Every structure is written in C-alpha cells, then in structure tokens.
C-alpha cells in the first residue's frame, strides 16, 4: 500500500467516493457498486441550504445507505449548528462525522467531543481560505483533518492548488508529533492530480465526479489508490 508519510506512522491511502455524484434515486445500488469496485469508505455530503446554498440529504439517507454497505460512512456536514445534528447522524450509522471550522466558531472543541460521545470518529474541516492555525488547538482531539480543495457546495469543481501547502503543513505537524493521523482532501481530485495531493501528505482521497463519470469504476478507484 502506498505510504504518504515520510516520518511518523504509516498512513494507508483510502479512497472515499462521494455519493453527491450518484443518482439519488438509485442510492442503494450506487453504494453497493462502490463497495464492489474497491472503495474504502463512502463519503456522504450533507448540505443544509444555509451553510452552503444547496440541500442534499439528512440522517435518514445515511441510515438507508448503511443498509447497503459494510464500508465506513464518512459524513461531511456542511451545515450550520452541527451540534444539533451530530447525534442523528451517529445513530444513523455514521463512522466518521466531520464539521466545518467555519460553522462551529468557538464551539468547535465541544462539537468534536460531542461527536466522540455519540460513538463516532470526529474530524474538523477547513475551507480553502481558512488557515490551519485556526484549528491548531483542536488537532489533537480530531481523528481526522479534512482539507477542502474546492469551496464546499458543489461537485465537479476545479481543484484549488493553493491548498497544497496547508496539506504539507498539517502532515509536518502530525509527523512532528509522531502520529499518523488521517488527512482527507475533498474536491476536484482526478487521476492527474492525485499524486500531488498524496505527496503533500493527504491519505484519504474524496472523489465524486472522477469515479462516477468513469467508464470503469473499479479501474479508476484502483488508479486513484496506486498512482
Ligand atoms: C463539495 C463536496 C465534495 C464533492 C467532491 O462540497 O464536499 O465531497 O462532492 O466532488 P468532486 O470530486 O466532483 O469535486
Ligand atoms: Zn465532501
């Protein structure tokens, strides 16, 4: 398995396709196909129409997806006041719940603790313009750090290069602490740029359009893992 970490603990590359690009009317089949094609996790984009303009789905969809796969469900909450929601998502079967720094403000650490208390792994998400220093104090508490490489809200956008130094900085911090924490990257990942995000230190690769628009999903997932 490819290793994205130079020092510290090894971090396995995991491919987390985003069902935002799936046919919502055939979600069960889409998730089963992703599992059969070698996905490591299922990334579920929850949008509330306030934190981002669009609305996708809530906890009932996570519960429905849960019935179609044994893979870990990685729930990315693009919602305001996520503290009011995390319990529903944990009960629905989410294994990872990530919340935005920009949505939590001063309450971030409490929200992360709440996620853990609900029995899920927790993560913090930073938008492309949010510097890592805004989350330094909660990195220890997080099981995962999610760095957005597009502005949240839409699939199929172009990868933003200037987030790569932030990925490198995060990996340096985790290396210095001797911990191989997962760094997830989300938005605009393709077979062309995936090597660069891994070299920067990301090891959980979210991908919507690249996987769903592919003619050979299994091959694309394998390529994203090994390229
Ligand atoms: C954007 C979402 C992403 C998105 C990724 O707000 O968080 O997960 O679905 O899709 P692609 O890979 O198409 O950019
Ligand atoms: Zn996402």
């Amino acid at each position: 398995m490819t290793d994205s970490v130079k020092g510290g603990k090894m971090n396995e590359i995991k491919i987390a396709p985003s069902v935002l690009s799936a046919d919502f009317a055939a979600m069960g089949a889409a998730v089963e196909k992703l599992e059969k094609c070698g996905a490591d996790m299922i990334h579920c984009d929850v949008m509330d129409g306030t934190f981002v303009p669009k609305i996708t789905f809530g906890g009932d969809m996570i519960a429905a997806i849960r019935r179609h796969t044994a893979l870990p469900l990685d729930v990315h909450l693009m919602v305001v006041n996520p503290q009011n929601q995390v319990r529903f998502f944990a009960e629905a079967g989410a294994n990872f719940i990530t919340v935005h720094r920009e949505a939590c403000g001063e309450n971030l650490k409490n929200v992360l603790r709440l996620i853990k208390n609900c029995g899920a792994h927790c993560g913090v998400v930073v938008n492309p313009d949010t510097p890592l220093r805004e989350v330094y104090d909660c990195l220890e508490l997080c099981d995962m750090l999610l760095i957005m490489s597009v502005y949240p809200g839409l699939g199929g956008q172009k990868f933003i290069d200037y987030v790569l130094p932030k990925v490198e900085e995060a990996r340096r911090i985790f290396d210095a602490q001797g911990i191989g924490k997962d760094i997830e990257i989300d938005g605009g990942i393709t077979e062309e740029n995936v090597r660069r995000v891994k070299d920067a230190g990301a090891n959980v690769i979210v991908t919507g359009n690249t996987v769903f628009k592919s003619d050979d999903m299994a091959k694309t997932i394998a390529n994203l893992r090994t390229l």
Side-chain angles (χ1 to χ4, degrees):
M1 194 74 36
T2 316
D3 169 29
S4 69
V5 188
K6 285 133 202 140
K9 271 172 68 183
M10 302 263 282
N11 271 87
E12 203 182 311
I13 300 294
K14 291 173 217 154
I15 307 301
S18 165
V19 292
L20 186 61
S21 302
D23 174 358
F24 281 16
M27 188 59 93
V31 169
E32 286 169 14
K33 184 172 178 193
L34 287 171
E35 181 165 353
K36 223 171 80 198
C37 290
D40 299 294
M41 311 167 83
I42 305 291
H43 184 84
C44 306
D45 286 305
V46 176
M47 304 184 188
D48 68 348
T50 301
F51 183 72
V52 289
K54 286 197 170 186
I55 296 175
T56 53
F57 47 74
D60 290 350
M61 176 66 100
I62 303 303
I65 290 175
R66 179 75 289 165
R67 292 191 283 274
H68 286 270
T69 181
L71 290 178
L73 302 184
D74 169 33
V75 176
H76 173 192
L77 292 184
M78 286 164 273
V79 306
V80 296
N81 296 319
Q83 68 278 3
N84 300 337
Q85 299 291 325
V86 295
R87 182 167 297 280
F88 300 127
F89 287 99
E91 286 171 2
N95 301 89
F96 290 84
I97 299 177
T98 60
V99 292
H100 273 260
R101 166 72 179 92
E102 303 82 10
C104 295
E106 294 310 306
N107 209 14
L108 179 56
K109 278 192 188 168
N110 287 335
V111 184
L112 294 170
R113 286 192 197 101
L114 178 63
I115 294 170
K116 280 183 174 291
N117 287 340
C118 292
H121 299 294
C122 70
V124 64
V125 193
V126 285
N127 276 346
D129 287 346
T130 301
L132 203 59
R133 65 171 179 276
E134 290 198 15
V135 297
Y136 282 163
D137 64 342
C138 67
L139 289 180
E140 207 183 319
L141 200 56
C142 289
D143 300 301
M144 180 155 80
L145 169 68
L146 168 50
I147 296 179
M148 293 305 298
S149 43
V150 297
Y151 290 94
L154 272 183
Q157 302 181 75
K158 192 176 171 310
F159 179 79
I160 298 173
D161 287 83
Y162 66 74
V163 304
L164 286 173
K166 187 157 51 180
V167 179
E168 288 167 0
E169 182 191 1
R171 187 51 77 197
R172 273 198 305 274
I173 291 171
F174 293 146
D175 279 357
Q177 295 171 347
I179 47 173
K181 217 164 254 197
D182 285 337
I183 300 178
E184 181 172 38
I185 188 133
D186 183 4
I189 305 296
T190 63
E191 288 172 77
E192 286 67 47
N193 62 24
V194 69
R195 182 72 252 164
R196 288 167 61 219
V197 303
K198 290 179 191 170
D199 283 346
N203 69 294
V204 181
I205 313 294
V206 176
T207 164
N209 268 18
T210 295
V211 161
F212 278 93
K213 293 228 152 96
S214 157
D215 296 330
D216 187 341
M217 195 180 263
K219 187 160 172 250
T220 302
I221 289 175
N223 285 345
L224 288 166
R225 186 179 289 109
T226 53
L227 276 169

